[in-house]
Amino acid sequence: SPILSAIPDLEVGAHKGTLRLFAADEQVFLFENINGSFDVSSKKLTILIRCGSNIWESMELKGTFAPDPMEGKGKISLENMDSKVLADYFQTGKSPLLDGAFSSLQVDFTISPEAGIKANIKSSGLSISTLHEDKRITAKIDSLKGSIQHTDQLSSITVEDLTLSNPQVQLSGSFN
């Protein structure tokens, strides 16, 4: 690849870094204890990043990408995510989400010219509370397992298992 050839054997690392993101004068997102590496060879990029945040307790991103042909694979792991932080920032007006969290989320992904983007998703311990006509409604999802695939010709979502303990429901299905 011409891009990777221009910066052969580049290695960049971060150790105990901090990143603060602001909207106007208000700190919105904080990423702490950032540790990672970014390695470039003549044929691929390799990335490893770990950090904590006001959004999650811990996050890890591992990936390897080759630009020619555009291929890659990786994994994202999140532990103890507080989705209310994101909802409060991205939703305009008052958010109906009172709280939302999950204890574990893992996404394994691949990218290739033939198969497009494919992600396998596993999550556990998801709890979401919202207000509906001044009444608190809580859903507790014990486990979620599924996949998402996107190509130029097709987009699909497959839910292999969605098990809720409140309300007691077990679902599966495919959406194209």
Side-chain angles (χ1 to χ4, degrees):
S1 161
I3 296 170
L4 296 181
S5 297
I7 51 172
D9 302 321
L10 174 69
E11 294 181 21
V12 177
H15 183 67
K16 294 185 179 181
T18 300
L19 175 63
R20 300 172 194 277
L21 300 178
F22 289 81
D25 291 334
E26 181 183 351
Q27 178 179 298
V28 181
F29 303 116
L30 171 64
F31 303 92
E32 298 178 294
N33 200 24
I34 301 169
N35 294 292
S37 62
F38 178 84
D39 297 321
V40 178
S41 71
S42 61
K43 300 204 186 280
K44 68 180 181 179
L45 305 168
T46 303
I47 299 169
L48 172 60
I49 300 172
R50 293 184 182 109
C51 72
S53 172
N54 64 327
I55 305 167
W56 54 69
E57 186 177 299
S58 66
M59 182 279 303
E60 181 176 270
L61 166 65
K62 294 180 184 179
T64 303
F65 305 95
D68 191 22
M70 183 58 170
E71 294 181 332
K73 65 180 181 176
K75 181 176 187 173
I76 302 169
S77 300
L78 294 169
E79 300 293 328
N80 299 322
M81 182 168 173
D82 181 359
S83 55
K84 185 164 178 5
V85 173
L86 294 172
D88 286 349
Y89 180 73
F90 288 108
Q91 289 184 336
T92 57
K94 186 177 179 185
S95 170
L97 184 66
L98 297 177
D99 60 69
F102 59 78
S103 57
S104 173
L105 174 70
Q106 291 189 354
V107 179
D108 292 302
F109 62 89
T110 58
I111 303 168
S112 72
E114 302 82 28
I117 299 170
K118 181 167 184 174
N120 294 314
I121 302 165
K122 290 181 187 176
S123 180
S124 64
L126 176 60
S127 176
I128 301 171
S129 295
T130 188
L131 277 181
H132 178 69
E133 297 177 357
D134 295 328
K135 184 178 177 184
R136 184 183 183 106
I137 299 170
T138 301
K140 292 186 180 178
I141 301 170
D142 294 332
S143 65
L144 168 65
K145 184 177 180 183
S147 62
I148 298 172
Q149 183 166 9
H150 176 74
T151 67
D152 291 339
Q153 294 80 31
L154 171 74
S155 291
S156 68
I157 299 172
T158 301
V159 178
E160 294 174 39
D161 176 48
L162 175 58
T163 303
L164 288 83
S165 60
N166 184 30
Q168 287 190 331
V169 176
Q170 187 169 16
L171 303 168
S172 64
S174 294
F175 310 94
N176 294 317

